[in-house]
mmCIF file of all heavy atoms in Angstrom:
data_model
loop_
_atom_site.group_PDB
_atom_site.id
_atom_site.type_symbol
_atom_site.label_atom_id
_atom_site.label_comp_id
_atom_site.label_asym_id
_atom_site.label_seq_id
_atom_site.Cartn_x
_atom_site.Cartn_y
_atom_site.Cartn_z
ATOM 1 N N PHE A 182 -2.080 -0.082 21.933
ATOM 2 C CA PHE A 182 -0.706 -0.236 21.440
ATOM 3 C C PHE A 182 0.213 0.913 21.851
ATOM 4 O O PHE A 182 1.427 0.841 21.622
ATOM 5 C CB PHE A 182 -0.713 -0.369 19.916
ATOM 6 C CG PHE A 182 -1.475 -1.565 19.410
ATOM 7 C CD1 PHE A 182 -2.288 -1.469 18.291
ATOM 8 C CD2 PHE A 182 -1.378 -2.793 20.047
ATOM 9 C CE1 PHE A 182 -2.985 -2.568 17.822
ATOM 10 C CE2 PHE A 182 -2.067 -3.905 19.583
ATOM 11 C CZ PHE A 182 -2.881 -3.786 18.470
ATOM 12 N N HIS A 183 -0.345 1.994 22.398
ATOM 13 C CA HIS A 183 0.451 3.147 22.845
ATOM 14 C C HIS A 183 1.310 3.713 21.711
ATOM 15 O O HIS A 183 2.502 3.982 21.867
ATOM 16 C CB HIS A 183 1.340 2.759 24.032
ATOM 17 C CG HIS A 183 0.584 2.152 25.171
ATOM 18 N ND1 HIS A 183 -0.276 2.870 25.965
ATOM 19 C CD2 HIS A 183 0.543 0.871 25.634
ATOM 20 C CE1 HIS A 183 -0.808 2.087 26.884
ATOM 21 N NE2 HIS A 183 -0.332 0.867 26.704
ATOM 22 N N THR A 184 0.684 3.890 20.565
ATOM 23 C CA THR A 184 1.384 4.406 19.391
ATOM 24 C C THR A 184 0.349 5.043 18.465
ATOM 25 O O THR A 184 -0.849 4.718 18.563
ATOM 26 C CB THR A 184 2.128 3.274 18.667
ATOM 27 O OG1 THR A 184 3.045 3.823 17.719
ATOM 28 C CG2 THR A 184 1.161 2.346 17.941
ATOM 29 N N PRO A 185 0.757 5.965 17.579
ATOM 30 C CA PRO A 185 -0.207 6.522 16.623
ATOM 31 C C PRO A 185 -0.803 5.434 15.724
ATOM 32 O O PRO A 185 -0.100 4.511 15.299
ATOM 33 C CB PRO A 185 0.647 7.498 15.804
ATOM 34 C CG PRO A 185 1.782 7.854 16.693
ATOM 35 C CD PRO A 185 2.066 6.621 17.488
ATOM 36 N N VAL A 186 -2.101 5.539 15.455
ATOM 37 C CA VAL A 186 -2.799 4.591 14.593
ATOM 38 C C VAL A 186 -3.512 5.363 13.491
ATOM 39 O O VAL A 186 -4.153 6.384 13.751
ATOM 40 C CB VAL A 186 -3.816 3.745 15.386
ATOM 41 C CG1 VAL A 186 -4.677 2.896 14.452
ATOM 42 C CG2 VAL A 186 -3.100 2.859 16.392
ATOM 43 N N PHE A 187 -3.368 4.879 12.269
ATOM 44 C CA PHE A 187 -4.036 5.474 11.111
ATOM 45 C C PHE A 187 -5.023 4.449 10.552
ATOM 46 O O PHE A 187 -4.735 3.258 10.514
ATOM 47 C CB PHE A 187 -3.012 5.843 10.033
ATOM 48 C CG PHE A 187 -1.905 6.735 10.524
ATOM 49 C CD1 PHE A 187 -0.744 6.192 11.060
ATOM 50 C CD2 PHE A 187 -2.027 8.113 10.445
ATOM 51 C CE1 PHE A 187 0.282 7.001 11.526
ATOM 52 C CE2 PHE A 187 -1.012 8.935 10.908
ATOM 53 C CZ PHE A 187 0.145 8.381 11.442
ATOM 54 N N ILE A 188 -6.181 4.924 10.114
ATOM 55 C CA ILE A 188 -7.180 4.076 9.479
ATOM 56 C C ILE A 188 -7.394 4.624 8.071
ATOM 57 O O ILE A 188 -7.631 5.816 7.894
ATOM 58 C CB ILE A 188 -8.522 4.076 10.236
ATOM 59 C CG1 ILE A 188 -8.308 3.832 11.734
ATOM 60 C CG2 ILE A 188 -9.463 3.045 9.635
ATOM 61 C CD1 ILE A 188 -7.844 2.455 12.092
ATOM 62 N N ASP A 189 -7.322 3.756 7.068
ATOM 63 C CA ASP A 189 -7.464 4.231 5.692
ATOM 64 C C ASP A 189 -8.127 3.166 4.846
ATOM 65 O O ASP A 189 -8.220 1.996 5.239
ATOM 66 C CB ASP A 189 -6.090 4.588 5.111
ATOM 67 C CG ASP A 189 -6.165 5.663 4.023
ATOM 68 O OD1 ASP A 189 -7.242 5.822 3.411
ATOM 69 O OD2 ASP A 189 -5.154 6.354 3.798
ATOM 70 N N ASN A 190 -8.568 3.567 3.679
ATOM 71 C CA ASN A 190 -9.164 2.644 2.716
ATOM 72 C C ASN A 190 -8.098 1.708 2.148
ATOM 73 O O ASN A 190 -6.982 2.126 1.870
ATOM 74 C CB ASN A 190 -9.825 3.452 1.598
ATOM 75 C CG ASN A 190 -10.358 2.588 0.488
ATOM 76 O OD1 ASN A 190 -9.645 2.332 -0.483
ATOM 77 N ND2 ASN A 190 -11.579 2.140 0.618
ATOM 78 N N ASN A 191 -8.451 0.439 1.964
ATOM 79 C CA ASN A 191 -7.466 -0.551 1.517
ATOM 80 C C ASN A 191 -6.897 -0.233 0.137
ATOM 81 O O ASN A 191 -5.713 -0.478 -0.132
ATOM 82 C CB ASN A 191 -8.074 -1.956 1.504
ATOM 83 C CG ASN A 191 -9.050 -2.154 0.353
ATOM 84 O OD1 ASN A 191 -10.089 -1.496 0.295
ATOM 85 N ND2 ASN A 191 -8.724 -3.050 -0.554
ATOM 86 N N ALA A 192 -7.723 0.290 -0.756
ATOM 87 C CA ALA A 192 -7.224 0.600 -2.100
ATOM 88 C C ALA A 192 -6.220 1.743 -2.060
ATOM 89 O O ALA A 192 -5.230 1.735 -2.810
ATOM 90 C CB ALA A 192 -8.392 0.946 -3.027
ATOM 91 N N ASN A 193 -6.451 2.740 -1.192
ATOM 92 C CA ASN A 193 -5.478 3.827 -1.027
ATOM 93 C C ASN A 193 -4.121 3.273 -0.609
ATOM 94 O O ASN A 193 -3.072 3.646 -1.152
ATOM 95 C CB ASN A 193 -5.956 4.811 0.040
ATOM 96 C CG ASN A 193 -7.122 5.660 -0.404
ATOM 97 O OD1 ASN A 193 -7.401 5.756 -1.599
ATOM 98 N ND2 ASN A 193 -7.812 6.277 0.536
ATOM 99 N N LEU A 194 -4.141 2.376 0.373
ATOM 100 C CA LEU A 194 -2.885 1.822 0.888
ATOM 101 C C LEU A 194 -2.239 0.875 -0.126
ATOM 102 O O LEU A 194 -1.009 0.811 -0.206
ATOM 103 C CB LEU A 194 -3.141 1.110 2.213
ATOM 104 C CG LEU A 194 -3.685 2.006 3.334
ATOM 105 C CD1 LEU A 194 -3.931 1.193 4.601
ATOM 106 C CD2 LEU A 194 -2.728 3.166 3.628
ATOM 107 N N SER A 195 -3.045 0.149 -0.882
ATOM 108 C CA SER A 195 -2.496 -0.716 -1.933
ATOM 109 C C SER A 195 -1.765 0.119 -2.975
ATOM 110 O O SER A 195 -0.674 -0.241 -3.433
ATOM 111 C CB SER A 195 -3.613 -1.531 -2.587
ATOM 112 O OG SER A 195 -4.189 -2.439 -1.671
ATOM 113 N N ALA A 196 -2.376 1.234 -3.355
ATOM 114 C CA ALA A 196 -1.726 2.132 -4.317
ATOM 115 C C ALA A 196 -0.429 2.680 -3.742
ATOM 116 O O ALA A 196 0.596 2.759 -4.443
ATOM 117 C CB ALA A 196 -2.662 3.281 -4.680
ATOM 118 N N TYR A 197 -0.446 3.031 -2.466
ATOM 119 C CA TYR A 197 0.766 3.578 -1.859
ATOM 120 C C TYR A 197 1.867 2.531 -1.780
ATOM 121 O O TYR A 197 3.042 2.839 -1.994
ATOM 122 C CB TYR A 197 0.463 4.142 -0.467
ATOM 123 C CG TYR A 197 1.601 4.988 0.039
ATOM 124 C CD1 TYR A 197 1.916 6.187 -0.587
ATOM 125 C CD2 TYR A 197 2.384 4.582 1.116
ATOM 126 C CE1 TYR A 197 2.973 6.960 -0.153
ATOM 127 C CE2 TYR A 197 3.447 5.356 1.552
ATOM 128 C CZ TYR A 197 3.742 6.539 0.920
ATOM 129 O OH TYR A 197 4.814 7.300 1.335
ATOM 130 N N GLY A 198 1.503 1.284 -1.492
ATOM 131 C CA GLY A 198 2.499 0.212 -1.475
ATOM 132 C C GLY A 198 3.168 0.047 -2.826
ATOM 133 O O GLY A 198 4.400 -0.067 -2.929
ATOM 134 N N GLU A 199 2.370 0.021 -3.887
ATOM 135 C CA GLU A 199 2.935 -0.104 -5.239
ATOM 136 C C GLU A 199 3.811 1.099 -5.562
ATOM 137 O O GLU A 199 4.877 0.965 -6.176
ATOM 138 C CB GLU A 199 1.810 -0.215 -6.276
ATOM 139 C CG GLU A 199 0.896 -1.409 -6.111
ATOM 140 C CD GLU A 199 1.515 -2.721 -6.547
ATOM 141 O OE1 GLU A 199 2.548 -2.699 -7.244
ATOM 142 O OE2 GLU A 199 0.956 -3.788 -6.201
ATOM 143 N N HIS A 200 3.379 2.261 -5.135
ATOM 144 C CA HIS A 200 4.120 3.507 -5.392
ATOM 145 C C HIS A 200 5.486 3.488 -4.716
ATOM 146 O O HIS A 200 6.507 3.835 -5.331
ATOM 147 C CB HIS A 200 3.285 4.679 -4.881
ATOM 148 C CG HIS A 200 4.006 5.981 -4.814
ATOM 149 N ND1 HIS A 200 4.301 6.733 -5.936
ATOM 150 C CD2 HIS A 200 4.490 6.681 -3.758
ATOM 151 C CE1 HIS A 200 4.933 7.835 -5.575
ATOM 152 N NE2 HIS A 200 5.064 7.827 -4.256
ATOM 153 N N VAL A 201 5.535 3.065 -3.471
ATOM 154 C CA VAL A 201 6.778 3.118 -2.697
ATOM 155 C C VAL A 201 7.778 2.077 -3.160
ATOM 156 O O VAL A 201 8.989 2.343 -3.215
ATOM 157 C CB VAL A 201 6.459 2.919 -1.197
ATOM 158 C CG1 VAL A 201 7.727 2.664 -0.401
ATOM 159 C CG2 VAL A 201 5.734 4.140 -0.643
ATOM 160 N N TYR A 202 7.302 0.891 -3.513
ATOM 161 C CA TYR A 202 8.220 -0.214 -3.812
ATOM 162 C C TYR A 202 8.474 -0.445 -5.309
ATOM 163 O O TYR A 202 9.480 -1.071 -5.669
ATOM 164 C CB TYR A 202 7.701 -1.510 -3.190
ATOM 165 C CG TYR A 202 7.880 -1.567 -1.704
ATOM 166 C CD1 TYR A 202 6.866 -1.172 -0.841
ATOM 167 C CD2 TYR A 202 9.081 -1.992 -1.134
ATOM 168 C CE1 TYR A 202 7.024 -1.213 0.541
ATOM 169 C CE2 TYR A 202 9.258 -2.029 0.234
ATOM 170 C CZ TYR A 202 8.234 -1.643 1.064
ATOM 171 O OH TYR A 202 8.401 -1.671 2.425
ATOM 172 N N PHE A 203 7.571 0.053 -6.185
ATOM 173 C CA PHE A 203 7.737 -0.269 -7.603
ATOM 174 C C PHE A 203 7.501 0.881 -8.565
ATOM 175 O O PHE A 203 8.000 0.853 -9.679
ATOM 176 C CB PHE A 203 6.781 -1.419 -7.986
ATOM 177 C CG PHE A 203 7.129 -2.723 -7.341
ATOM 178 C CD1 PHE A 203 6.477 -3.127 -6.196
ATOM 179 C CD2 PHE A 203 8.123 -3.532 -7.868
ATOM 180 C CE1 PHE A 203 6.807 -4.324 -5.577
ATOM 181 C CE2 PHE A 203 8.461 -4.725 -7.254
ATOM 182 C CZ PHE A 203 7.804 -5.131 -6.112
#
Side-chain angles (χ1 to χ4, degrees):
F182 299 139
H183 306 290
T184 193
V186 172
F187 305 89
I188 311 291
D189 207 337
N190 175 268
N191 73 296
N193 288 343
L194 299 179
S195 295
Y197 193 67
E199 299 285 345
H200 168 75
V201 168
Y202 286 94
F203 293 98

